[in-house]
Amino acid sequence: GSTHSFAGQMETVLNVTSREALAVAVETCWDSLHGERAKVYRAQAGEAELAGMAVVLQHMVLPTAAGVLFTVNPASGRADELLASSVWGLGEGLVSGALSADTFVLGRAGNLLGSTLADKAERIVPIAEGGTRLEPVPEEMRHAPSLDAGQLADLARHSVAAECAAGRPLDIEFAVADGELFFLQARPVTAFEPQAREGDGNR
């Protein structure tokens, strides 16, 4: 929504590998519309009861890294900064808050303004029989950046283009697989207050 993002309110089912599992996954997503968490969210947001919901089916990519990018920086209030967080493997551990993530602050041209690298001890990966599992991250990757400079620049460029196409700041979930960037979903940023700094001048 334009004023409420519904972030995290509906279920996501990852790595579905059979028709039977697909039917169950779609029902799981539909059922989450009427779950307690979603009902409380809608009540607090003053939203009317929703009559129905579409379920999006997407091709599953097998990412080396995944994350979330805001085309503004909610942490600093800067509209000229991008804020990205990423983990090794699937992004589910990041969006659920279960895993520690790297954080990158970028300029709109993709230049790195600052970063904080987490100890990424675990990652979530898909498994052959369907679903996912939590596994240890190899020792040499734990403190290494989950995105390199080229990937960050690519992410910034495409994110700014997406923001321009949407006409408003976006919260974008992304993945990197086989060196290629994928956007998984985007929603409007609904909680952002621009902050002025000394030297910004008049607007």
Side-chain angles (χ1 to χ4, degrees):
S2 59
T3 56
H4 297 95
S5 69
F6 283 78
Q9 301 308 308
M10 310 308 173
E11 290 296 327
T12 298
V13 183
L14 298 174
N15 199 31
V16 177
T17 57
S18 70
R19 288 182 178 274
E20 294 77 13
L22 177 60
V24 173
V26 170
E27 288 184 0
T28 298
C29 292
W30 273 332
D31 287 346
S32 68
L33 175 67
H34 305 291
E36 195 63 30
R37 180 175 60 186
K39 286 182 177 179
V40 169
Y41 182 93
R42 288 197 299 270
Q44 291 177 340
E47 298 279 351
E49 186 67 24
L50 299 178
M53 179 180 70
V55 175
V56 177
L57 306 183
Q58 291 176 276
H59 177 73
M60 184 77 188
V61 297
L62 307 178
T64 53
V68 175
L69 178 139
F70 292 85
T71 61
V72 289
N73 188 344
S76 67
R78 299 296 301 171
D80 56 350
E81 295 176 349
L82 313 181
L83 180 65
S85 298
S86 60
V87 294
W88 294 120
L90 295 167
E92 186 67 14
L94 169 61
V95 297
S96 69
L99 298 180
S100 298
D102 294 336
T103 302
F104 305 95
V105 179
L106 305 168
R108 290 181 69 82
N111 50 309
L112 182 63
L113 302 176
S115 64
T116 303
L117 302 183
D119 178 3
K120 300 171 290 297
E122 296 177 308
R123 62 185 173 186
I124 296 176
V125 297
I127 52 180
E129 59 269 28
T132 63
R133 73 162 183 253
L134 191 65
E135 70 173 24
V137 169
E139 189 64 32
E140 67 274 13
M141 296 171 60
R142 285 182 58 166
H143 299 281
S146 47
L147 298 171
D148 63 30
Q151 291 168 334
L152 287 168
D154 196 34
L155 177 61
R157 178 168 57 89
H158 288 292
S159 297
V160 169
E163 181 192 71
C164 291
R168 62 177 302 154
L170 294 176
D171 166 1
I172 298 169
E173 291 186 20
F174 65 89
V176 177
D178 294 324
E180 186 176 356
L181 175 66
F182 293 86
F183 280 180
L184 308 176
Q185 71 172 28
R187 59 169 62 93
V189 174
T190 56
F192 176 70
E193 293 293 333
Q195 302 295 316
R197 293 189 301 193
E198 187 177 354
D200 280 348
N202 294 324
R203 207 164 209 185

